[in-house]
Amino acid sequence: DAKTTQPNSMESNEEEPVHLPCNHSTISGTDYIHWYRQLPSQGPEYVIHGLTSNVNNRMASLAIAEDRKSSTLILHRATLRDAAVYYCILYSGGSNYKLTFGKGTLLTVNP
Amino acid sequence: SAVISQKPSRDICQRGTSLTIQCQVDSQVTMMFWYRQQPGQSLTLIATANQGSEATYESGFVIDKFPISRPNLTFSTLTVSNMSPEDSSIYLCSVGQGANYGYTFGSGTRLTVV
């Protein structure tokens, strides 16, 4: 599985935008970029995914670099409920449908 | 997206005993997985639960310790056998439909072995 690199931790203030970076320089052409988050004492929760183009949904936006070697998860207005560990995962499917988790980024949101 | 019911949500078990964790999905899904999350750590994949055949285990996990059943496309069990305190972790099941779909996770089973 191609690897991702994320900062160990980030801090934000409530109601401000948050940009969570992820580097994946060895990404292959068939790798989707998935983001999940894990709130305290809960299982991971799907946030968003994309292949080449930027993506938006009700939770967040995903900005993918033109060369696809990096991506950024954007939370437009952070709330206290967004405090979680955020995982950036490359996933290609095929005969190997498993998600492999790295250490992720611990996001702290200050009131 | 699929909804997962995982039971039990938590348990405290004596060493040397076994615990079976159930994962029920509200729709048929192609892929089911079992993960372990040790205290303060990220998730580690234990195995892929295959419907109608033996599970596919990741390196470091063996069938004798973590037997898995998957009798149909909506249900799977993971058994943690002959438990020791080192098995104290959160165990989670997950389901997916492919690379272009988000995966869903259960809320986890918090296991404490004493």
Side-chain angles (χ1 to χ4, degrees), chain A residues 30 32 34 36 38 41-46 49 87 91-94 97-104, chain B residues 31 33 35 37 41-43 45 48 58 92 94 97-108 110:
Chain A
T30 58
Y32 284 83
H34 280 235
Y36 292 79
Q38 188 172 24
S41 301
Q42 296 189 26
E45 173 187 33
Y46 166 77
H49 77 282
Y87 298 98
Y91 175 63
S92 60
Y97 289 99
K98 56 190 180 185
L99 290 177
T100 302
F101 284 77
K103 296 188 187 308
Chain B
M31 292 160 282
F33 307 91
Y35 287 84
Q37 188 169 30
Q41 304 295 314
S42 183
L43 282 78
L45 181 65
T48 302
E58 297 299 304
L92 302 108
S94 173
Q97 297 282 40
N100 200 20
Y101 299 90
Y103 278 48
T104 303
F105 288 79
S107 54
R110 184 178 295 271

Side-chain angles (χ1 to χ4, degrees), chain A residues 42-43, chain B residues 6-10 90-93 105-110:
Chain A
Q42 296 189 26
Chain B
Q6 190 174 333
K7 296 178 182 178
S9 59
R10 59 178 61 233
I90 298 172
Y91 293 85
L92 302 108
C93 73
F105 288 79
S107 54
T109 296
R110 184 178 295 271

Side-chain angles (χ1 to χ4, degrees), chain B residues 51-71:
Chain B
Q51 193 264 326
S53 64
E54 191 173 287
T56 304
Y57 290 85
E58 297 299 304
S59 175
F61 297 95
V62 295
I63 188 172
D64 289 346
K65 177 67 175 177
F66 298 101
I68 289 170
S69 78
R70 190 172 176 198

Side-chain angles (χ1 to χ4, degrees), chain A residues 1-50:
Chain A
D1 292 328
K3 293 194 68 172
T4 63
T5 303
Q6 299 178 253
N8 290 332
S9 62
M10 291 185 64
E11 222 171 299
S12 173
N13 295 319
E14 201 174 7
E15 298 189 4
E16 290 185 356
V18 181
H19 290 233
L20 296 161
C22 181
N23 288 320
H24 28 78
S25 59
T26 60
I27 191 170
S28 74
T30 58
D31 285 338
Y32 284 83
I33 303 161
H34 280 235
W35 283 83
Y36 292 79
R37 71 180 184 181
Q38 188 172 24
L39 303 172
S41 301
Q42 296 189 26
E45 173 187 33
Y46 166 77
V47 177
I48 200 166
H49 77 282

Side-chain angles (χ1 to χ4, degrees), chain B residues 17-89:
Chain B
T17 63
S18 298
L19 175 70
T20 295
I21 302 167
Q22 298 181 359
C23 179
Q24 178 73 55
V25 190
D26 68 342
S27 60
Q28 292 187 343
V29 291
T30 307
M31 292 160 282
M32 292 182 81
F33 307 91
W34 287 97
Y35 287 84
R36 180 177 74 181
Q37 188 169 30
Q38 295 177 300
Q41 304 295 314
S42 183
L43 282 78
T44 300
L45 181 65
I46 297 172
T48 302
N50 300 310
Q51 193 264 326
S53 64
E54 191 173 287
T56 304
Y57 290 85
E58 297 299 304
S59 175
F61 297 95
V62 295
I63 188 172
D64 289 346
K65 177 67 175 177
F66 298 101
I68 289 170
S69 78
R70 190 172 176 198
N72 55 52
L73 293 176
T74 64
F75 185 78
S76 178
T77 65
L78 168 74
T79 299
V80 186
S81 302
N82 188 24
M83 290 183 285
S84 67
E86 291 71 35
D87 294 319
S88 298
S89 294

